[in-house]
Amino acid sequence: MKQITVEDIVNQFSLQVLAGAEYLRKAITKPRVHRPGLEFVGYFDFFPTERVQVLGTKEVTYLHKLSHEERKTRIGNIVHYHPPCFIVKGKEEELTYLKQHCTSEGIPLLITKHEQRTSELIAKLESYLANELAPELSIHGVCVNVSGIGILLRGKSGVGKSETAHTLIGRGHRLIADDVVVLKKISPTTLLGTHDENTKEFLALRSIGLLNVVRLYGQKAFQEKTQIVLDITLKKWEKDELNNELDHEARFTEYMGVQIPSIEIQVQPGRDVAGLIEAAVQNWILKQQGYSAAEEFMERIEKDY
């Protein structure tokens, strides 16, 4: 199971530590955060104790309205479950009572340094946690973003994956990763493709060597990550295997339980593989909009009979 620590989110979001500084190495394993509500009135049947707990203006205001003894009881009931940490939107001087509880129970208490809505803070936290805690798989290939669509290019070594990516960059598209592509499963149906840091911005071309695409072509040539939408396998040209059907039966490649539509493109000298990839992307976009060229063609044929 992947995990990060409370210290990681302190650094990522520039949070101030009010209590439990010695416990910042506590593990966080869940990609969602929780905003206590029912727990303050004593209902704990579905309390997600392993999640980061966020207290916004609404929760802090409610706690201030309670008597000292009642507030002590309500907060004590929650800290008793030892969540990884509390993140509070509020002023330090207003949180003395919470600081005391967290200190005694060994729970990091963190506050935001910058003014922002609680909903915005939660959205940023969950996006960060989902990315950091997502199951990962590293594969050999190239990842590019073509017209806003994430593409995996796979195939045997030497088939031309990196050269094709270079041509796509020249046409205004973006490199995500070359050689090693890191896939992250951020939901049951969503894969992100990214690099492994070591290969970030680099593209290896036979006979040329290693290129830094940002240094050569500017920041527009590179993107940190992209959602994977199509899986394209490049194969050496084999005449007898060339597929000429009007429309292929849908095929998929599975990565960590996520099905990604896949196609094969045969490669030979002079063939515009980058152009075919651009066409595949635009055709996929049209299909998402409900249009199929093959279906329209068959409808025309049927009208003539």
Side-chain angles (χ1 to χ4, degrees), residues 200-257:
K200 178 179 179 179
E201 302 175 357
F202 289 122
L203 183 66
L205 299 179
R206 280 179 169 77
S207 302
I208 303 297
L210 204 60
L211 306 180
N212 185 308
V213 298
V214 172
R215 293 293 183 93
L216 280 176
Y217 305 116
Q219 191 60 50
K220 68 181 187 303
F222 176 75
Q223 186 171 314
E224 283 283 346
K225 57 188 175 183
T226 188
Q227 181 177 341
I228 302 299
V229 170
L230 284 175
D231 179 79
I232 297 178
T233 300
L234 303 184
K235 294 180 61 178
K236 289 186 177 180
W237 183 277
E238 296 181 29
K239 183 178 179 180
D240 294 337
E241 291 190 14
L242 186 61
N243 222 328
N244 287 316
E245 290 92 342
L246 290 177
D247 203 11
H248 302 297
E249 181 180 348
R251 292 185 296 179
F252 298 87
T253 305
E254 183 176 306
Y255 299 99
M256 295 181 287

Side-chain angles (χ1 to χ4, degrees), residues 6-18 24 52 85-88 109-114 116 121 125:
V6 175
E7 186 175 22
D8 291 325
I9 62 172
V10 169
N11 296 332
Q12 178 69 23
F13 294 95
S14 300
L15 302 175
Q16 180 180 348
V17 182
L18 287 188
L24 293 182
V52 172
C85 66
F86 287 96
I87 300 178
V88 183
L109 173 62
L110 319 170
I111 65 171
T112 58
K113 295 181 181 179
H114 308 292
Q116 60 183 315
L121 172 63
L125 276 168

Side-chain angles (χ1 to χ4, degrees), residues 4 28 84 144 151 160 207 253 263 280:
I4 61 174
I28 297 173
V144 288
I151 307 294
S207 302
T253 305
I263 61 174

